[in-house]
Amino acid sequence: PPPYTGVWMGDSKLCAIGVHCGNHITSHGLALNCCTDLTWFEHIVPCGLEGKGVTSLSRELGQHITVSTVLEPFLHSFQEVFDCTLLCSEDPG
């Protein structure tokens, strides 16, 4: 919910989105909770937001959702939304 960043399901964050700027370098990323062990979030205040929870695709859909299940449709949607072509290399080095 505004003004909070990320993807939300009610008062629970499903996906964190972040940007960091430092030493003339900008980095960005996201963390989509697919099948995350959510009990770890009971020990912290996630993203510094009091009274807000964290959820996962597995919890919301009531079935085990793995990263490998989500990766291809996520990348396809990313290309559509940002009107770009993603290149993939078998050798990350």
Side-chain angles (χ1 to χ4, degrees):
Y4 306 123
T5 61
V7 178
W8 293 79
M9 298 288 296
D11 278 339
S12 296
K13 189 177 247 187
L14 177 65
C15 178
I17 300 171
V19 176
H20 176 265
C21 300
N23 297 324
H24 307 290
I25 297 172
T26 303
S27 56
H28 54 279
L30 61 86
L32 176 62
N33 296 325
C34 294
C35 52
T36 308
D37 178 359
L38 299 173
T39 60
W40 290 101
F41 292 104
E42 296 170 8
H43 307 284
I44 64 170
V45 178
C47 302
L49 300 174
E50 292 280 349
K52 302 295 180 190
V54 177
T55 192
S56 68
L57 287 173
S58 293
R59 175 183 279 174
E60 296 299 322
L61 297 174
Q63 60 183 339
H64 186 72
I65 305 294
T66 64
V67 173
S68 59
T69 303
V70 172
L71 189 57
E72 188 175 329
F74 173 82
L75 294 175
H76 178 76
S77 294
F78 185 95
Q79 290 180 104
E80 283 187 4
V81 168
F82 292 102
D83 191 25
C84 66
T85 301
L86 298 175
L87 303 175
C88 182
S89 171
E90 294 298 318
D91 179 16

